[in-house]
Coordinates of all heavy atoms in Angstrom, one line a residue:
L1 N 0.8 -1.2 0.0 CA 0.0 0.0 0.0 C 0.9 1.3 0.0 O 0.5 2.3 -0.6 CB -0.9 0.0 1.2 CG -2.0 -1.0 1.2 CD1 -2.8 -1.0 2.6 CD2 -3.0 -0.9 0.1
A2 N 2.0 1.2 0.7 CA 2.9 2.3 0.7 C 3.8 2.5 -0.6 O 4.4 3.5 -0.7 CB 3.9 2.2 1.9
G3 N 3.7 1.6 -1.5 CA 4.5 1.6 -2.7 C 5.9 1.3 -2.5 O 6.7 1.5 -3.4
L4 N 6.2 0.7 -1.4 CA 7.6 0.3 -1.1 C 8.0 -1.1 -1.7 O 9.2 -1.4 -1.8 CB 7.9 0.2 0.4 CG 7.6 1.6 1.1 CD1 7.8 1.4 2.7 CD2 8.5 2.6 0.6
R5 N 6.9 -1.8 -2.1 CA 7.1 -3.1 -2.7 C 6.2 -3.2 -3.9 O 5.0 -2.7 -3.8 CB 6.9 -4.2 -1.7 CG 7.2 -5.6 -2.2 CD 6.7 -6.7 -1.3 NE 7.3 -6.6 0.1 CZ 8.4 -7.4 0.4 NH1 8.9 -8.2 -0.5 NH2 8.8 -7.3 1.6
A6 N 6.6 -3.7 -5.0 CA 5.8 -3.8 -6.2 C 5.0 -5.2 -6.2 O 5.7 -6.2 -5.9 CB 6.6 -3.7 -7.5
P7 N 3.7 -5.2 -6.4 CA 3.0 -6.5 -6.4 C 3.3 -7.2 -7.7 O 3.7 -6.7 -8.7 CB 1.6 -6.0 -6.4 CG 1.6 -4.7 -7.1 CD 2.8 -4.0 -6.7
D8 N 3.1 -8.5 -7.7 CA 3.2 -9.4 -8.9 C 2.0 -9.1 -9.8 O 2.1 -9.2 -11.0 CB 3.3 -10.8 -8.5 CG 4.6 -11.2 -7.8 OD1 5.6 -10.6 -8.2 OD2 4.5 -12.0 -6.9
A9 N 0.9 -8.8 -9.2 CA -0.3 -8.5 -9.9 C -1.2 -7.5 -9.1 O -1.0 -7.4 -7.9 CB -1.2 -9.7 -10.2
G10 N -2.1 -6.8 -9.8 CA -2.9 -5.8 -9.1 C -2.2 -4.4 -9.1 O -1.2 -4.2 -9.7
S11 N -2.9 -3.5 -8.5 CA -2.4 -2.1 -8.5 C -2.8 -1.4 -7.2 O -3.7 -1.7 -6.5 CB -3.0 -1.4 -9.7 OG -4.4 -1.3 -9.6
V12 N -2.1 -0.3 -6.9 CA -2.3 0.6 -5.8 C -2.5 2.0 -6.4 O -1.7 2.4 -7.2 CB -1.2 0.6 -4.8 CG1 -1.5 1.6 -3.7 CG2 -1.1 -0.8 -4.2
H13 N -3.6 2.7 -6.0 CA -3.8 4.1 -6.5 C -3.8 5.0 -5.3 O -4.5 4.8 -4.3 CB -5.2 4.1 -7.2 CG -5.2 3.5 -8.5 ND1 -5.1 2.1 -8.7 CD2 -5.2 4.1 -9.8 CE1 -5.1 1.9 -10.0 NE2 -5.2 3.0 -10.7
L14 N -3.1 6.1 -5.4 CA -3.0 7.2 -4.5 C -3.6 8.4 -5.1 O -3.2 8.9 -6.1 CB -1.5 7.4 -4.1 CG -1.2 8.6 -3.2 CD1 -1.7 8.3 -1.8 CD2 0.4 8.8 -3.1
D15 N -4.6 8.9 -4.4 CA -5.4 10.1 -4.9 C -5.8 9.8 -6.4 O -5.8 10.7 -7.2 CB -4.6 11.3 -4.8 CG -4.6 11.9 -3.4 OD1 -5.4 11.5 -2.6 OD2 -3.7 12.7 -3.1
G16 N -6.3 8.6 -6.7 CA -6.8 8.3 -8.0 C -5.8 8.0 -9.1 O -6.2 7.6 -10.2
R17 N -4.5 8.1 -8.8 CA -3.5 7.8 -9.8 C -2.7 6.6 -9.3 O -2.5 6.4 -8.1 CB -2.5 9.0 -9.9 CG -3.1 10.2 -10.6 CD -2.1 11.4 -10.5 NE -0.9 11.0 -11.2 CZ 0.2 11.8 -11.0 NH1 0.2 12.9 -10.3 NH2 1.3 11.5 -11.6
D18 N -2.2 5.8 -10.3 CA -1.4 4.7 -9.9 C -0.2 5.2 -9.1 O 0.4 6.2 -9.4 CB -0.8 4.0 -11.2 CG -0.1 2.7 -10.9 OD1 0.9 2.7 -10.2 OD2 -0.6 1.7 -11.5
I19 N 0.1 4.5 -8.0 CA 1.1 5.0 -7.1 C 2.5 5.1 -7.7 O 3.3 6.0 -7.4 CB 1.2 4.1 -5.8 CG1 1.9 4.9 -4.7 CG2 1.9 2.8 -6.1 CD1 1.7 4.2 -3.3
R20 N 2.7 4.4 -8.8 CA 4.0 4.4 -9.5 C 4.1 5.7 -10.3 O 5.2 6.1 -10.8 CB 4.1 3.2 -10.4 CG 4.2 1.9 -9.6 CD 4.1 0.7 -10.5 NE 2.8 0.7 -11.2 CZ 2.4 -0.3 -12.0 NH1 3.2 -1.3 -12.2 NH2 1.2 -0.3 -12.5
A21 N 3.0 6.4 -10.6 CA 3.0 7.6 -11.4 C 3.5 8.9 -10.6 O 3.8 9.9 -11.2 CB 1.6 7.9 -12.0
W22 N 3.5 8.7 -9.3 CA 4.0 9.8 -8.4 C 5.5 9.7 -8.2 O 6.0 8.6 -8.1 CB 3.3 9.7 -7.0 CG 1.8 9.9 -7.0 CD1 0.9 8.9 -6.9 CD2 1.1 11.1 -7.0 NE1 -0.4 9.4 -6.9 CE2 -0.3 10.7 -7.0 CE3 1.4 12.4 -7.1 CZ2 -1.3 11.7 -7.0 CZ3 0.4 13.4 -7.1 CH2 -0.9 13.0 -7.0
S23 N 6.1 10.8 -8.2 CA 7.6 10.8 -7.8 C 7.7 10.4 -6.3 O 6.7 10.5 -5.6 CB 8.2 12.2 -8.0 OG 7.7 13.1 -7.1
A24 N 8.9 10.0 -5.9 CA 9.1 9.6 -4.5 C 8.7 10.8 -3.6 O 8.1 10.6 -2.6 CB 10.5 9.2 -4.3

C-alpha cells in the first residue's frame, strides 16, 4: 500500500493515480 514493494499483480492508487506515477 505504501508503494515500497511492487506487487506481482494488481495495483495501488494514491489520490486516484497509480502510485507508480507519483515521484518519490
Side-chain angles (χ1 to χ4, degrees):
L1 293 175
L4 301 177
R5 189 191 295 266
D8 294 321
S11 61
V12 176
H13 285 70
L14 177 63
D15 283 342
R17 292 173 56 192
D18 191 299
I19 198 167
R20 295 169 297 183
W22 298 99
S23 70

